[in-house]
């Protein structure tokens, strides 16, 4: 098959429930990222930094319902879409490996641009690396992919829980007054060059050195789960899977119990469980809930519109967030409370929903998705919508 025949999947093959899951994941990630946009979140004491009871309540709510619960969902959907793309290209007799390599290289480059020039909390760079790693596993059976994912995930959960148990009374807080002061000074009043240097420093703080190796346990398992679920055909609309999805809903709901545990047991070991075990289980709850909703014949088009332009909307959140709070924008960094950030977030997300809906009436893809597809398939094609195809858009 010559490369000139390569093209994205037809718009009418898009899976609406997957779009809605991506849209929901973007909202959840936005709640967590917004705190980082306007404050030195990585370096503060999460228990006492936020001041009054109302802001602390909101921070606890974000911790319970969003923190560590949506990046696993987004990672799962990446792995799921990875396998769907492979199946569709293979069924059409097209070369999957060359297509996915170009796709991942574009994501890699976009991630570098993102964490260098816009915001340190980029996830695209990491996703591209995990995508390349997934290539070595994609030929395995669905059951095997899920088993490997479970092994990596539960190893990380268990080992660190046991290691932290003896330090229940130790002061292991990440609160760093000098780093807090430096962040507020640079992001709040620094030049663009100074901000870029700080941004790279913050990115390395999270992703560099030994932290980078932990990605194998903190993100990659969900890629394996997504690919494994796709191979097993779960969440594909087959009603025979309904009993299994209902069981997953119940198992996922247990994640909320685990997420509450640090408020009951004042221990770093349980704080670790909150994110590493409770967060992914809550992801499963959200995933199963939306799946059951779509099995019932109902849809959440609000999230579908956002999800169809997930990459564009993700970058727009970073651009707006940094413009509002960094010195080269409105310079509000360090002076905004959690409550104000939540209000701004909700307002912008509503605008994103309305903007996505309006855009998709005229165009098949978001602008970044359009460029991504042209790079992937090495050909130029129209972004404008063919109205004969209805309101569907392709699913990868």
């Amino acid at each position: 098959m010559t490369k000139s025949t390569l093209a994205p999947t037809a718009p009418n093959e898009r899976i609406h429930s997957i779009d809605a899951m991506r849209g929901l994941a973007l909202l959840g990630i936005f709640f967590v990222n917004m705190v980082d946009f306007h404050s030195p979140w990585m370096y503060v004491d999460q228990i006492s930094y936020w001041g009054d009871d109302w802001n602390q309540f909101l921070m606890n709510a974000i911790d319970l319902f969003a923190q560590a619960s949506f990046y696993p969902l987004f990672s799962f959907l990446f792995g799921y879409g990875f396998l769907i793309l492979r199946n569709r290209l293979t069924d059409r007799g097209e070369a999957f490996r060359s297509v996915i390599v170009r796709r991942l290289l574009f994501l890699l480059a976009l991630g570098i641009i993102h964490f260098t020039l816009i915001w340190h909390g980029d996830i695209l760079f990491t996703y591209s690396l995990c995508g390349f790693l997934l290539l070595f596993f994609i030929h395995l059976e669905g059951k095997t992919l899920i088993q490997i994912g479970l092994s990596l995930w539960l190893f990380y959960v268990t080992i660190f829980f046991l290691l932290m148990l003896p330090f229940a009374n130790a002061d292991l807080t990440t609160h760093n007054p000098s780093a807090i002061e430096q962040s507020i000074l640079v992001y709040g009043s620094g030049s663009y060059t100074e901000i870029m240097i700080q941004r790279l420093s913050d990115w390395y703080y999270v992703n560099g050195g030994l932290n980078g190796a932990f990605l194998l346990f903190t993100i990659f398992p969900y890629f394996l789960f997504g690919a494994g679920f796709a191979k097993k055909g779960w969440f594909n609309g087959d009603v025979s899977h309904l009993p299994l999805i209902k069981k997953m809903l119940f198992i996922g709901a247990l994640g909320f119990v685990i997420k509450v545990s640090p408020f009951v047991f004042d221990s770093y070991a349980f704080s670790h469980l909150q994110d590493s075990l409770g967060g992914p289980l809550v992801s499963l709850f959200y995933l199963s809930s939306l799946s059951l909703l779509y099995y019932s014949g109902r849809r959440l088009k609000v999230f579908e519109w956002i999800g169809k332009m997930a990459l564009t909307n993700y970058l727009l959140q970073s651009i707006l967030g940094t413009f509002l709070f960094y010195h080269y924008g409105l310079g509000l960094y360090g002076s905004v409370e959690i409550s104000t950030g939540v209000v701004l977030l909700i307002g912008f997300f509503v605008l994103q929903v309305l903007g996505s809906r309006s855009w998709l009436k005229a165009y098949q893809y978001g602008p970044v998705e359009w460029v991504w597809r042209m790079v992937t398939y090495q050909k130029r094609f129209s972004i404008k919508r063919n109205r004969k195809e209805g309101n569907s858009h392709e699913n990868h």
Side-chain angles (χ1 to χ4, degrees):
M1 184 70 68
T2 61
K3 70 179 182 180
S4 61
T5 63
L6 288 173
T9 306
N12 59 6
E13 294 185 19
R14 193 161 192 109
I15 303 174
H16 299 303
S17 60
I18 299 298
D19 285 330
M21 291 173 189
R22 287 195 185 103
L24 176 64
L26 272 177
L27 175 60
I29 288 171
F30 201 7
F31 270 103
V32 178
N33 289 352
M34 177 57 80
V35 183
D36 201 311
F37 288 147
H38 67 66
S39 62
W41 178 75
M42 297 184 298
Y43 305 114
V44 305
D45 182 344
Q46 302 296 325
I47 301 301
S48 61
Y49 181 79
W50 307 108
D52 64 71
D53 292 341
W54 174 237
N55 282 290
Q56 188 61 55
F57 170 80
L58 288 174
M59 193 63 233
N60 290 343
I62 292 172
D63 201 28
L64 179 62
F65 294 103
Q67 172 64 22
S69 296
F70 285 100
Y71 80 79
L73 176 55
F74 218 57
S75 303
F76 172 92
L77 293 172
F78 193 102
Y80 196 98
F82 194 100
L83 196 281
I84 296 299
L85 174 61
R86 176 179 179 267
N87 289 347
R88 287 176 173 171
L89 289 175
T90 302
D91 290 345
R92 294 187 330 221
E94 297 171 358
F96 166 70
R97 192 165 294 269
S98 58
V99 169
I100 198 64
V101 166
R102 289 194 295 270
R103 190 174 179 83
L104 293 172
L105 285 175
F106 178 86
L107 205 63
L108 184 78
L110 193 60
I112 293 172
I113 293 170
H114 187 210
F115 73 69
T116 302
L117 302 179
I118 303 174
W119 182 54
H120 72 85
D122 168 75
I123 197 64
L124 304 179
F125 178 84
T126 301
Y127 276 16
S128 67
L129 297 181
C130 289
F132 280 117
L133 184 58
L134 185 58
L135 279 172
F136 295 97
F137 295 83
I138 200 66
H139 64 282
L140 300 174
E141 294 182 355
K143 180 181 179 181
T144 305
L145 289 169
I146 294 170
Q147 288 174 336
I148 296 173
L150 280 171
S151 299
L152 292 172
W153 174 44
L154 294 179
F155 174 81
Y156 172 72
V157 170
T158 305
I159 291 298
F160 277 87
F161 177 73
L162 294 176
L163 287 174
M164 290 180 177
L165 269 180
F167 300 98
N169 298 318
D171 184 10
L172 302 178
T173 180
T174 59
H175 190 76
N176 187 332
S178 62
I180 293 171
E181 183 180 358
Q182 173 74 8
S183 296
I184 293 175
L185 177 65
V186 174
Y187 288 129
S189 59
S191 66
Y192 185 85
T193 300
E194 290 171 332
I195 289 174
M196 183 172 68
I197 294 171
Q198 180 68 35
R199 187 160 43 222
L200 290 171
S201 174
D202 287 343
W203 179 86
Y204 188 79
Y205 176 80
V206 175
N207 299 278
L210 189 59
N211 287 343
F214 284 129
L215 298 177
L216 181 65
F217 303 97
T218 58
I219 292 182
F220 186 61
Y222 313 117
F223 278 60
L224 294 171
F225 292 150
F229 275 44
K231 281 203 172 188
K232 299 288 285 185
W234 299 338
F235 300 113
N236 68 353
D238 188 338
V239 293
S240 66
H241 297 142
L242 269 174
L244 175 63
I245 294 173
K246 290 177 180 178
K247 290 180 182 178
M248 291 180 184
L249 180 72
F250 174 76
I251 294 171
L254 297 177
F256 289 108
V257 178
I258 297 170
K259 278 209 148 192
V260 171
S261 63
F263 298 100
V264 179
F265 306 101
D266 185 13
S267 165
Y268 288 102
F270 284 94
S271 294
H272 165 70
L273 281 189
Q274 182 187 49
D275 286 351
S276 64
L277 182 59
L281 286 178
V282 171
S283 293
L284 183 63
F285 176 82
Y286 292 143
L287 183 69
S288 303
S289 297
L290 256 70
S291 183
L292 290 173
L293 180 72
Y294 275 76
Y295 270 105
S296 72
R298 288 171 286 179
R299 291 170 61 179
L300 290 174
K301 291 188 177 181
V302 167
F303 289 126
E304 287 181 32
W305 297 327
I306 288 285
K308 289 173 182 176
M309 299 174 52
L311 186 55
T312 296
N313 281 312
Y314 170 72
L315 293 172
L316 281 175
Q317 290 173 358
S318 293
I319 292 170
L320 176 83
T322 52
F323 177 79
L324 283 175
F325 302 113
Y326 290 4
H327 185 241
Y328 57 73
L330 300 184
L332 300 176
Y333 190 88
S335 61
V336 171
E337 297 182 336
I338 298 293
S339 55
T340 305
V342 168
V343 171
L344 291 171
L345 178 157
I346 293 172
F348 184 63
F349 193 79
V350 170
L351 291 178
Q352 283 193 296
V353 169
L354 298 176
S356 297
R357 182 189 183 192
S358 178
W359 179 274
L360 290 169
K361 286 182 178 180
Y363 303 102
Q364 296 188 76
Y365 320 106
V368 181
E369 286 80 1
W370 178 53
V371 176
W372 193 14
R373 282 158 175 77
M374 288 194 292
V375 171
T376 296
Y377 296 100
Q378 293 188 312
K379 64 183 296 186
R380 181 179 175 85
F381 53 89
S382 177
I383 190 176
K384 290 187 177 180
R385 191 143 188 243
N386 182 350
R387 297 191 178 278
K388 292 181 180 180
E389 294 174 341
N391 294 326
S392 297
H393 305 274
E394 61 100 352
N395 185 49
H396 57 266

